[in-house]
């Protein structure tokens, strides 16, 4: 199959990323000659176990963890579920969970279904956000309670890129003996993370958000944190996650983490500059457009912009004609356009939430691409507005 990916202007990197060529290269031996089972006694399998150990070290190094604190999973969603369900089993008398109103569905929908999944009744506190997507300062402290089993707060939001102060929040949880999980899927590889002296107990990573393949993830489990596995089976991952390892993808993720570590400092300047150029250009060129999310406490690659009185999905369709890929903050569910729960939680007005577009860049985006998008977007929005009854009113 040919996806024509060379012609695509891909600005949807918070949805998924291109697998880096270096990552593909590192994976190839494990899809061909090196097919041994890492649990086998023979040298042939042992070599594969060595490659997994090396990947584990690269991942640990990127986030300031010890290799033994890294557990491989099948995806970010599995890591999120594993952490939260483990905490609830660890503290069966504590049925309070603190999370936010803007979590990824991996956490949001799990929390909505906890009672059905566990057969117990839970109390869920969903922390509110302000208009800029940041948490309301005092609400968190007030919600920490004697029966809280776990706090799960994302490090960076996938829709707006807004960064939460999870390290400080984790300290406040630890002081009260409460476990702290963070979904860091959007943060790892994009901003520096050092868990060495942090109070974070669990942290989720997904391979395909940082130029490794889909279908591999990591759950960081701080040494000494009580843990009950989600998938029981063989003794893989020191009994913390059964199932024969996804060897090639694990090796790929290790390589991706090394690449991210090498390029992070440079990319934090380069990608941020491209994103800022795109963002300020769109806001300047297109009337009635606005940024969703905090101006500075934000991932360097993400810009979520609303264009009032146009529909996000229509904008995307017109962008698609120019092979520009992005996401909209509204999803067409059962025929009605529902604005995203993130923008709703921020109180973004209806007319703006419907016309929101998320641009998310990566190491592969260029200045020419940004210029092209800046050239095309004003015309796309103006054409759609010309057809909009709301705009003409
Ligand atoms: C993509 C994403 C996930 C889910 O990761 P998968 O590997 O696709 O399961 C979880 N949380 C956030 C913030 C994400 O962006």
């Amino acid at each position: 199959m040919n996806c024509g990916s060379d012609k695509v202007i891909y600005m949807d990197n918070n949805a998924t990323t291109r697998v880096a060529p270096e990552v593909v290269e590192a994976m190839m031996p494990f899809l061909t000659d090196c097919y041994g089972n890492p649990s086998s006694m023979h040298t042939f399998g042992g070599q594969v176990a060595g490659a997994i150990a090396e990947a584990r070290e690269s991942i640990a190094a990127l986030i300031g963890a010890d290799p033994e604190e890294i557990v491989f999973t099948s995806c970010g969603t599995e890591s999120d579920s594993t952490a939260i369900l483990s905490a609830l089993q660890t503290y069966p008398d504590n049925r309070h969970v603190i999370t936010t109103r803007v979590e990824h569905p991996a956490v949001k929908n799990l929390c909505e279904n906890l009672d059905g999944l566990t057969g117990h009744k839970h109390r869920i506190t969903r922390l509110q956000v302000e208009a800029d997507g940041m948490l309301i300062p005092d609400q968190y402290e007030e919600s920490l309670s004697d029966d809280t089993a776990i706090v799960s707060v994302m490090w960076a939001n996938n829709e707006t890129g807004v960064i939460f102060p999870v390290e400080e929040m984790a300290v406040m949880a630890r002081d009260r003996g409460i476990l702290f999980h963070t979904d860091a899927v959007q943060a790892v590889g994009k901003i520096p993370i050092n868990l060495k002296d942090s109070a974070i107990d669990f942290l989720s990573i997904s391979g395909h958000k940082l130029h490794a393949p889909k279908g591999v993830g990591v759950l960081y489990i701080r040494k000494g944190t009580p843990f009950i596995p989600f998938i029981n089976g063989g003794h893989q991952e020191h009994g913390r996650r059964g199932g024969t390892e996804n060897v090639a993808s694990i090796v790929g993720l290790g390589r991706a983490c090394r690449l991210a570590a090498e390029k992070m400092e440079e990319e934090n300047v380069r990608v941020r500059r491209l994103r800022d150029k795109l963002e300020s250009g769109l806001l300047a060129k297109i009337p009635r457009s606005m940024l969703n999310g905090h101006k500075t406490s934000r991932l360097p690659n993400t810009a979520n912009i609303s264009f009032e009185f146009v529909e996000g999905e229509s904008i995307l369709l017109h962008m698609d004609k120019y092979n520009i890929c992005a996401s909209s903050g509204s999803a067409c569910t059962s025929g009605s356009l529902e604005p995203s729960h993130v923008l709703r939680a921020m109180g973004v007005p209806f007319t703006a939430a419907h016309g929101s577009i998320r641009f998310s860049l990566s190491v592969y985006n260029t200045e020419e691409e940004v210029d092209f998008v800046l050239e095309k977007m004003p015309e796309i929005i103006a054409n759609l507005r010309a057809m909009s009854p709301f705009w003409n009113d």
Side-chain angles (χ1 to χ4, degrees):
M1 193 173 127
N2 181 356
C3 290
S5 65
D6 288 345
K7 284 178 296 178
V8 154
I9 297 183
Y10 190 76
M11 297 193 176
D12 202 10
N13 288 278
N14 289 10
T16 197
T17 58
R18 171 194 281 265
V19 180
E22 296 91 332
V23 168
V24 175
E25 195 190 336
M27 290 173 67
M28 279 312 281
F30 301 94
L31 296 168
T32 52
D33 296 339
C34 308
Y35 57 81
N37 187 322
S39 296
S40 296
M41 286 302 294
H42 41 71
T43 309
F44 186 61
Q47 289 168 336
V48 175
I52 290 182
E54 205 179 297
R56 203 184 298 279
E57 282 175 23
S58 303
I59 296 155
L62 179 66
I63 59 172
D66 276 346
E68 313 90 84
E69 296 175 317
I70 302 298
V71 174
F72 292 111
T73 65
S74 69
C75 59
T77 303
E78 184 192 321
S79 300
D80 288 343
S81 271
T82 302
I84 293 169
L85 293 175
S86 169
L88 292 174
Q89 285 177 268
T90 301
Y91 301 115
D93 295 333
N94 294 2
R95 305 228 167 268
H96 179 224
V97 176
I98 300 173
T99 179
T100 77
R101 287 179 61 183
V102 297
E103 295 298 312
H104 185 275
V107 169
K108 180 178 177 277
N109 291 344
L110 175 72
C111 289
E112 274 161 25
N113 290 306
L114 278 181
D115 293 1
L117 279 171
T118 63
H120 296 284
K121 187 121 190 63
H122 293 84
R123 183 165 67 88
I124 315 284
T125 299
R126 293 178 183 84
L127 302 173
Q128 290 168 19
V129 294
E130 299 184 285
D132 61 4
M134 298 293 281
L135 292 169
I136 296 170
D138 296 334
Q139 207 200 353
Y140 173 57
E141 184 155 21
E142 286 159 13
S143 69
L144 292 163
S145 141
D146 287 344
D147 67 339
T148 310
I150 187 165
V151 177
S152 179
V153 172
M154 67 201 323
W155 199 307
N157 187 272
N158 46 298
E159 291 190 27
T160 59
V162 166
I163 295 171
F164 287 147
V166 286
E167 288 167 296
E168 290 91 324
M169 295 172 83
V171 171
M172 290 162 71
R174 182 180 60 189
D175 289 349
R176 293 162 179 80
I178 298 167
L179 293 173
F180 191 95
H181 165 252
T182 182
D183 176 339
V185 167
Q186 290 294 343
V188 171
K190 292 183 184 136
I191 54 174
I193 289 179
N194 187 355
L195 297 173
K196 190 164 183 339
D197 296 312
S198 97
I200 292 165
D201 297 294
F202 297 110
L203 176 144
S204 303
I205 302 176
S206 169
H208 73 102
K209 304 291 174 75
L210 72 148
H211 305 290
K214 296 157 186 67
V216 63
V218 160
L219 180 62
Y220 158 89
I221 309 174
R222 169 172 299 289
K223 224 177 285 171
T225 299
F227 178 69
I228 296 168
F230 179 54
I231 295 185
N232 294 275
H235 56 265
Q236 293 91 352
E237 303 299 291
H238 289 286
R240 293 172 296 180
R241 202 277 189 179
T244 301
E245 297 85 343
N246 181 357
V247 176
S249 293
I250 287 170
V251 169
L253 179 53
R255 186 73 187 92
C257 286
R258 259 172 47 219
L259 281 174
E262 284 159 22
K263 292 184 182 169
M264 187 173 307
E265 216 176 280
E266 180 191 327
E267 276 301 300
N268 260 292
V269 176
R270 195 197 70 95
V271 151
R272 186 184 303 276
R273 201 186 60 78
L274 288 185
R275 190 275 312 269
D276 288 348
K277 179 174 183 182
L278 178 67
E279 179 178 311
S280 56
L282 290 172
L283 294 175
K285 285 177 171 217
I286 301 176
R288 301 298 291 264
S289 58
M290 61 203 70
L291 175 72
N292 296 313
H294 195 269
K295 190 98 190 69
T296 53
S297 182
R298 190 151 49 101
L299 294 173
N301 79 317
T302 309
N304 186 314
I305 297 178
S306 276
F307 306 100
E308 271 193 297
F309 304 109
V310 268
E311 263 172 21
E313 299 207 333
S314 312
I315 305 173
L316 288 181
L317 285 175
H318 284 79
M319 291 166 68
D320 199 48
K321 289 194 204 149
Y322 296 111
N323 262 323
I324 305 168
C325 305
S327 282
S328 87
S330 57
C332 193
T333 40
S334 61
S336 72
L337 276 178
E338 266 289 295
S340 90
H341 68 283
V342 176
L343 299 183
R344 255 183 301 156
M346 291 160 66
V348 175
F350 202 71
T351 48
H354 272 304
S356 79
I357 299 290
R358 176 189 70 189
F359 299 89
S360 47
L361 310 187
S362 83
V363 64
Y364 297 114
N365 287 113
T366 63
E367 180 123 27
E368 290 73 50
E369 291 179 331
V370 167
D371 290 340
F372 183 76
V373 173
L374 279 175
E375 181 195 316
K376 295 300 176 196
M377 286 303 291
E379 141 201 332
I380 290 172
I381 303 295
N383 288 342
L384 285 169
R385 278 176 176 167
M387 297 187 291
S388 160
F390 305 106
W391 178 253
N392 291 318
D393 283 353

